[in-house]
Structures are given as structure tokens and as C-alpha cells.
Amino acid sequence: VQLQASGGGLVQPGGSVSLSCVASGLSFSSYSMGWWRQAPGKDRELIAGISWSGESTYHADSVKGRFTISKNNAKNTVYLQMSNLRREDTAVYYCAAADGGGIAKTGREYLGWREDEYDYWGQGTLVTVSS
């Protein structure tokens, strides 16, 4: 299984950037996905999540209205569209996949909330917000 995140880089405050995470080696349509970030000196935090079906999403208060998570099961890809970026958004961003114990088979929606719910992690991509 591999999760390959890309799209990070240097962006000015108020700017936008889009992250992508391509998954391989797993049944992507059965996995809920999350975007986490870790800023220097801080713990890793969940900032956005999307259910296996794509019908349910979560955005942390710190990014609500500025970031949008989406999922394309046909392309095995999860996206994070980030706009109106702030200096405090500077962090390494990680995508992660959680199957919730196979909950997709039941048709029930599922979002992973804790790090230990996620089965696979990408390598992280650095986003630096600076002028």
C-alpha cells in the first residue's frame, strides 16, 4: 500500500494551494480518508476527513471555510483545496486512509477521528506560508 502526497510548497499569505494524495495497493473506495498536519513543535492534528463514499466530510474549525476535502474514487485520489492561507497553516501535511474495520460493506458512513484509526499514512508534504 502506498499513499503519495504532492502539491506542497511555498505560498504567500492569502494564497491558495491544492494537495493531492494518490493511493495504490488498496481498495480505495472502501476507505475513509483524512488530511492531518503537524506544525513545528506541535502534535499532529486532523484538519479534514471524508467518508469512504465521499458523502460525509469534516473540517476542523481552524480551516472551516478555507479548506475543502474531496475524494475521487475513480482516480484513487483525495484532495485538499486550501485557500486564504495563513502563516499558522505552515506544517507538514499528511494524507491517511482508514477502513473502519471494513465498515463500507455495511453501507454505514464512517470518519476516522483518531490517529490510531488510520491504517496507512502518506509521507507528508510541506506547506510553508510566508511572504
Side-chain angles (χ1 to χ4, degrees):
V1 174
Q2 188 173 13
L3 300 180
Q4 184 67 46
S6 62
L10 177 64
V11 60
Q12 292 188 342
S16 299
V17 69
S18 182
L19 305 183
S20 299
C21 174
V22 180
S24 59
L26 76 168
S27 181
F28 184 75
S29 61
S30 298
Y31 278 77
S32 299
M33 301 297 294
W35 282 100
W36 295 70
R37 71 182 180 188
Q38 187 166 25
K42 295 188 177 181
D43 293 335
R44 190 156 54 183
E45 61 172 340
L46 176 66
I47 57 166
I50 189 165
S51 63
W52 56 271
S53 68
E55 293 185 2
S56 301
T57 61
Y58 160 81
H59 296 85
D61 287 344
S62 58
V63 306
K64 197 171 294 183
R66 302 187 299 120
F67 292 10
T68 302
I69 188 171
S70 61
K71 188 176 188 265
N72 187 327
N73 285 335
K75 294 186 177 181
N76 283 11
T77 304
V78 61
Y79 305 94
L80 186 68
Q81 179 64 42
M82 307 161 65
S83 61
N84 193 17
L85 284 158
R86 306 167 180 168
R87 287 182 173 80
E88 55 264 37
D89 294 318
T90 294
V92 177
Y93 286 74
Y94 299 89
C95 58
D99 82 341
I103 197 168
K105 300 175 186 176
T106 71
R108 290 171 54 197
E109 289 291 277
Y110 167 74
L111 290 169
W113 301 105
R114 306 186 313 269
E115 285 194 53
D116 63 3
E117 293 185 69
Y118 286 83
D119 305 288
Y120 305 106
W121 292 81
Q123 83 287 4
T125 184
L126 176 63
V127 175
T128 302
V129 183
S130 175
S131 54

